[in-house]
Amino acid sequence: MAHTLTRRTVLTAAAGIAGAGLVGGLAARQLAGPRPGPAPALPDAPAGDERLIRIASGARGREVDFWTAVPDGYGDGRGLPVCLVLHGASATPRDYGRFGLARFLTDAVRRGAPPFALAGATGGRLSWRASGDDDPQRMVREEVPTWCARRGFDSSRLAVWGWSMGGFGALLLAETYPKWLRMAAAFSPAVSPGDAVFTGVEKLRGTPVGLWCGRQDNFLSDVRALARVLPEEPVRAAWADGRHNFGYWGTVIPDAFALIGTALSPPRT
């Protein structure tokens, strides 16, 4: 599917909104989880329609948690596009409430971001790749959009966002299904030169990519290296003080949500 989004369009629209089966040492770094740090400073905005249910996933061969959030003031979110959420190794959708993701979503929309819904399911600790009969990537590609459509969301307009292991998974998903997603946003993605994301990087051509990473994060040099080899200039490549935790990630959610909202709007004609 063709994209009408350009880097200029995204940056211009966002400017007014103010603001793996990984291997070896990389696996040890990633699966250790985020370093302890302060909880994110949550915005003064309410959650809208936020739900957490159990649902059977054929792709994973088990029941999983399925979480959705709609910005306050948009009812049940019928007709809204969707940003798929891919968690890191130490989190699940049951953590999204305490992370305040629904509140960040309302705040972004109140600041001017086009409205969208968030949706994510439990992917385990497989770096969002298949392991035997357990395939969380297929769940995200085939099942989560179907579950979203049943809720009345517009599953023809999709972006993806993830952090740490989920950032790796978000980029890999965009490479595996080129131009399926309107944007791929990754916070401190657990990438390393020579891994699947780097070797498939050319497949990101045509998909806007945003990268954020803290300057005190062990993945910083690898994320910067990825930014340099992307086939097209990223819509955002931002490095600020912060570590591998939601104390930092919470500070860049507003920027990411502004860009994601812009990428998901307007509907294709």
Side-chain angles (χ1 to χ4, degrees):
M1 292 181 285
H3 285 278
T4 57
L5 182 69
T6 65
R7 182 173 186 273
R8 182 182 297 274
T9 299
V10 172
L11 295 179
T12 300
I17 304 176
L22 304 179
V23 296
L26 179 61
R29 268 199 298 169
Q30 168 57 21
L31 296 181
R35 294 182 178 184
L42 302 184
D44 184 18
D49 185 336
E50 184 177 14
R51 307 184 193 183
L52 180 68
I53 66 171
R54 294 286 289 175
I55 192 167
S57 167
R60 296 210 60 208
R62 70 194 70 195
E63 283 195 341
V64 297
D65 289 326
F66 176 52
W67 174 90
T68 58
V70 172
D72 184 59
Y74 287 83
D76 63 3
R78 185 166 296 274
L80 291 184
V82 182
C83 178
L84 307 169
V85 183
L86 274 58
H87 60 73
S90 64
T92 75
R94 290 184 178 269
D95 298 304
Y96 296 173
R98 70 181 177 86
F99 292 162
L101 303 190
R103 292 174 61 179
F104 277 109
L105 178 61
T106 295
D107 183 64
V109 172
R110 289 184 173 182
R111 290 175 180 271
F116 59 95
L118 296 171
T122 308
R125 294 165 64 90
L126 302 175
S127 295
W128 298 95
R129 297 196 286 186
S131 176
D133 294 331
D134 187 352
D135 192 344
Q137 186 185 78
R138 185 165 71 85
M139 176 187 70
V140 175
R141 174 63 176 88
E142 299 177 5
E143 295 178 323
V144 174
T146 298
W147 301 338
C148 288
R150 290 174 187 164
R151 282 285 313 278
F153 301 158
D154 182 358
S155 58
S156 71
R157 290 186 286 155
L158 297 170
V160 66
W161 162 54
W163 59 89
S164 192
M165 180 187 76
F168 172 94
L171 296 167
L172 189 64
L173 183 71
E175 292 178 355
T176 305
Y177 303 100
K179 300 184 182 180
W180 175 56
L181 299 159
R182 291 198 176 190
M183 182 176 174
F187 290 179
S188 312
V191 296
S192 181
D195 70 12
V197 169
F198 269 85
T199 58
V201 71
E202 184 59 33
K203 296 177 182 177
L204 290 171
R205 186 177 299 278
T207 300
V209 173
L211 299 171
W212 294 258
C213 193
R215 292 196 183 102
Q216 289 74 43
D217 192 310
N218 287 340
F219 285 108
L220 178 62
S221 62
D222 292 337
V223 177
R224 280 178 157 166
L226 178 65
R228 290 193 294 269
V229 299
L230 287 172
E232 297 167 328
E233 187 176 0
V235 296
R236 184 76 84 245
W239 332 118
D241 285 343
R243 296 187 178 276
H244 200 76
N245 56 47
F246 261 95
Y248 163 70
W249 297 328
T251 67
V252 294
I253 287 176
D255 187 33
F257 280 10
L259 291 167
I260 290 167
T262 301
L264 288 170
S265 182
R268 291 189 177 95
T269 56

